[in-house]
Amino acid sequence: MILSLVRAHLGNKLVWLMIAPLGLSSAPWPTLGAFGIATLAFVVPTAIPPRPSKFELMLPIHLRVVLQARLLSAGVLFGLPLLLWTVSYLLQRPTLLRLEWVLSVAPASAMAFMLSYMAPGTRRLLLRASFNVDVALRLAVLAAFCAGVVYTLPPVIAIGVLSSAAVVLYLALVRAIPDSLELSESNATAFYAKWADRDEVSRGSMQTVLMHVRNVGQRKERYSSERNASVDPVPVSDGQLLWLLLSPTWGKALYIVVASIAFTSTSGIVVLMFSFVMLQWSEERRQRNRWMLALPCSHRQRLWLQIAPSVIALSLGMIGGQTLKVVVWPYNEAITDRGQTTETPSEWRASPTRTSLAYWSATEKHTQPLIKAPWGETVAADTITIFSRTLHNPYTARESSSARFIEWQFQRASQAVLGQALSLDVYKAQPPDERPAHPATRASVRLAFGALIFALALLMVWLSETARSHRRSGGLDELGDGYLVLVFIVLGPMIMWFEIKRDVDLMQVCVDAILLHIARSVSAYSIFVPLCALLTLIAAYRLLEWQFARSETPASELAVARQAAS
Amino acid sequence: MTPLLSFRDVKRSYTKSVPVLDGVSFDIGEGEIVGLLGRNGAGKTTIVRLAIGMLFPHAGTVELFGLAPTTHPVEVKRRIGYVGETQELPGMWKASELIALHRKLYAEWDGALERDLIARFALDTGKRIGALSKGQAQQVALLCAVCHKPELLLLDEPAGGLDPVARREFLETTIQLLNREGTSVLFSSHHMSDVERLGGRVLLLNEGRIQVDRDLDALREQVCVATLPSRLASDHARLAELPGCMRVRQLLDQIHAVFEGTPAQVQDQLVQAYGEENRAHMQCRVVPLEELFIELLGGERLEAAA
């Protein structure tokens, strides 16, 4: 019976087999782990809904069986891929085998999906908990993990705590589920009295209304394949409609905010996770907002209303993430903290003059240039080959190099990166920020980067969609966020591959390269970067709007039609 | 004798202070067919879900076979069948696999009835549920709900997605066949024709309470609608206070009143109240169930508009 239910759960959830290990594999790193696990806490209930289906409720089986089946499904979904991921990771990079990494993943992942079944989640198996309580709990989970409490503990204690917690939670959950609802009946009544499951009636009636409107909309869609698909545009309050648009999916918008905070970390794993969260939100929004087809507003207006929630949620998340980053880790981008390797990783890791790839120079393929100091000392430069291009670090210094050589190279590197030649001792005493306006500029670049990706997605819409398809569907299915997801899905694994295979943070390199370019050409304080991004975004939007407008009835034809009608 | 299904002063709300059910009480005995009627949001689905144990009552008690469905879910579910408007069957399963699962779960599974229904519904059991049409999926759900010959069949708009042929097959043949073997049926529906076809007893829900609970035949014969000119009965309260008056509403320049009793009895009663000289202006008649339903539940807006 359990296996049958597991099969029913997993039937159409195979996509999560891809997402789960990505989220879970972020567990070993404190920051990413927190975000990864927190995101999973949001994602898991979607993959394995905590609420039993009517089908399950009607079977003459104990609720305990339903719970066990769900936990087993979660285990298959998240445990199996995680195991494969861990094995493949370790096979690829056995040198990075660390006991705490391997051991912390399992309890952390167990914790992730256990958390999603806690308190209201568990109750959901028995009754319908308030969404507000659910969100509050998940935010608390997020906060707890962000605090990094578990990760600050010594590894052995952390592993012990997490493993015990996972085992205890599992046992407690399975045992807590009674064969009947008797034990929690009084709690349930009290719970309802206090929280009164507001969503059911309001959502029910709302759905009835929307269903009606949607039907009207679908009829309109079916019969309006001609040029005048758009009804006569009338003034509609954007604010009101935006609220209407957001209200059915505000919970998911919160996911986007959280995910985009994580996105600012530039990790490939997070980018990919973000894309799936985005995909989920996009899909849900599309489904729930089909009723808009029936609204008497123009396609252009609808385009803005459709895109605005994404823009708002993304912006909030990115600004929040960037602020968090600037406040919490203001100096973590210093010269020697770059995370990339070369073809000689062990020696390179000891080098104090490793800079971002953005500061490296191109060289002939598979050659290792010699760097010569004025006094004749030489060293073979570190090299790396990416996309068939070989780069070398002109500031390479090795442990075997003389102190004078290392100091010379470090001064050159700090001049290039920080804009001032510093001695190694001064730098070690107090590492300065890269540039005076570093956080603001870096934030601008990141935001610009996000804006450019969004613009790219909008442009893809413009390039791929014809006015005819807009007329057919009212433009609702051709929104940028679908393509945005596509961009992220392509970017994510690529970034991840570089992280794992070459230990290169590709997005970081891109940001550094842009920063370097800006530093060489414009003032660090310039608003040039965000302005450029904004202009690009506006241009892309205007193009898309123009594309949408082509599907509308021109004002001249509309006037003629009105005259004829009157 | 213990009723199969018993509701006692059941209250349930989804929003604070807005009860969907506000003290609902009724019993269903062996072999009864009960139609649950009411407007959208009247609480029909809530009653069915409470009966299954999917929801807790906030007050009162719900019992099936003398057991609370929330405390003895497995025992109760083994003896009932349920089909909802949206059943949410696992889409990746083949219909045959789903039927096989149910066959395993219910000891009293009737293989002959299963084969009969598969043939009658012309079901392709090799197809995945997700690939079936809404109506076909509903037929699979119906089959799974009835082949173990439940003692009580709970149906929440069960024939919503069925075509007229399948609908009639299901209502007239399947349910009546089961009923002949002693299965009780509680079904909610908006289709008066379904209720009339199945006969039995009617529960009419209105404003969280049961407004009408009587046999369909009695409802047809002993409830009638009186029509009076509004000048005659401008005082609605006086009309509503007459014995047997169930509902008064204004419809443009006429007053419609639903009364218990035969048309002749009600006519006499009205003549007594408003005078012999107005007899010609009063009409009392037995109306079809659908019209009666509208008379009992509809019309507030028309009244306000008038």
Side-chain angles (χ1 to χ4, degrees), chain A residues 4 54 57 180-181 193 197, chain B residues 14 16 70-71 77 86 93:
Chain A
S4 297
K54 280 186 213 156
L57 278 175
S180 68
L181 304 181
D197 199 3
Chain B
Y14 298 112
K16 235 175 181 176
T70 49
T71 50
K77 284 175 197 169
T86 51
W93 285 27

Side-chain angles (χ1 to χ4, degrees), chain A residues 1 4-5 7-8 11-12 53-55 57-62 126-128 179-182 185 188-189 192-194 196-198 200-201, chain B residues 12 14-16 49 52-58 70-74 77-78 80 82 86-90 92-93 97-98 101-102 105-106:
Chain A
M1 186 63 225
S4 297
L5 290 180
R7 214 185 123 218
N12 52 358
S53 66
K54 280 186 213 156
F55 165 69
L57 278 175
M58 264 323 294
L59 295 175
I61 52 175
H62 296 288
L126 310 179
L127 46 92
R128 301 159 72 80
D179 286 348
S180 68
L181 304 181
E182 186 179 26
E185 190 159 15
T189 311
Y192 272 112
K194 188 171 180 188
D197 199 3
R198 266 168 250 153
E200 191 160 343
V201 163
Chain B
R12 185 66 167 81
Y14 298 112
T15 307
K16 235 175 181 176
R49 288 190 180 172
I52 298 162
M54 280 187 193
L55 291 173
F56 289 95
H58 288 167
T70 49
T71 50
H72 301 88
V74 180
K77 284 175 197 169
R78 280 195 183 128
I80 62 172
Y82 164 77
T86 51
Q87 193 77 358
E88 298 171 12
L89 300 175
M92 295 297 282
W93 285 27
E97 292 171 332
L98 190 69
L101 175 76
H102 280 77
L105 285 169
Y106 296 98

Side-chain angles (χ1 to χ4, degrees), chain A residues 9 13 44-53 56 70 117 124-125:
Chain A
H9 293 157
K13 303 287 183 190
V44 171
T46 309
I48 315 273
R51 194 172 289 176
S53 66
E56 286 168 331
R70 276 175 196 264
Y117 281 97
R124 276 180 153 197
L125 276 169

Side-chain angles (χ1 to χ4, degrees), chain A residues 316-382:
Chain A
L316 282 175
M318 286 195 153
I319 291 167
Q322 202 55 52
T323 309
L324 195 72
K325 197 160 185 168
V326 169
V327 171
V328 180
W329 306 285
Y331 290 110
N332 73 338
E333 310 282 4
I335 185 170
T336 56
D337 287 339
R338 285 288 173 271
Q340 77 273 333
T341 187
T342 67
E343 279 131 17
T344 51
S346 56
E347 196 172 346
W348 169 81
R349 281 187 174 278
S351 170
T353 55
R354 56 196 163 100
T355 56
S356 165
L357 288 188
Y359 300 93
W360 290 31
S361 307
T363 186
E364 278 184 41
K365 204 171 181 181
H366 304 309
T367 59
Q368 203 171 12
L370 274 182
I371 296 163
K372 192 173 179 184
W375 58 93
E377 189 175 348
T378 58
V379 68
D382 289 335

